[in-house]
Amino acid sequence: MTNQKIELKYVLYGIVAVCFTWIIHEFVHWLTSESLGYESIMRINGVSPVKGGNPSDMHKVFISASGPIITILQGLIVFMVLWSRNWNKYLYLFLFTAFYMRLLAGFMNFINPNDEGRISAFLGIGTFTLPIIVSGLLFVMVYKISKKHNLNWKFQLWTTLIVMIMSSILILTDQFLGIRIL
């Protein structure tokens, strides 16, 4: 039987999964920007060049792509581990968070293009093409693991709520407090 019990430890792992996913995603944006020679500021939910820094269009593409690439890699690694080994509900949080993060980013393109949306627009393939592909890829991974391990709707609902609430807290904290990490 697959352990799908939701307890405090699972909620705490959910908080860790969301924080880790967001911070590593933004850190890779920051690292890419810095390595291309642009002094940058990293916040909880964003990276921007210091005033006066204006990356070229191609550098903007590289900087935009780096975060989603690491998030996709996170999802892919967790998927492969969960596919080839026994069930681990705590590890599943890292796959689900990667999916949720990119899906949410895809929807945010309606307000302001970000990451995959900016790259899609730059490539002239429509703002939503890459967000749909990336979200779809991560969804397939979540779906296959859910099927393989017979995850029930209650477990999925609680996982979604934990990830959604923690993600919202991170995003709102960044919007209202703008805490600079680097």
Side-chain angles (χ1 to χ4, degrees), residues 5 51 90 103 106 135 146 153 178-179:
K5 186 177 180 189
K51 289 186 179 170
Y90 306 111
L103 180 67
S135 297
S146 298
W153 70 270
I179 299 169

Side-chain angles (χ1 to χ4, degrees), residues 62-126:
F62 292 142
I63 294 165
S64 291
S66 62
I69 288 170
I70 198 70
T71 305
I72 293 165
L73 283 173
Q74 172 184 315
L76 187 58
I77 291 166
V78 173
F79 171 79
M80 291 186 319
V81 169
L82 289 173
W83 189 260
S84 64
R85 299 187 185 207
N86 291 331
W87 170 244
N88 182 325
K89 67 182 179 183
Y90 306 111
L91 197 53
Y92 176 73
L93 283 160
F94 289 87
L95 172 59
F96 190 87
T97 300
F99 161 66
Y100 179 81
M101 177 193 219
R102 301 324 309 148
L103 180 67
L104 179 62
F107 282 118
M108 295 311 292
N109 284 307
F110 283 108
I111 298 169
N112 188 27
N114 64 74
D115 293 348
E116 298 97 320
R118 281 193 299 264
I119 298 166
S120 277
F122 176 81
L123 295 174
I125 58 174

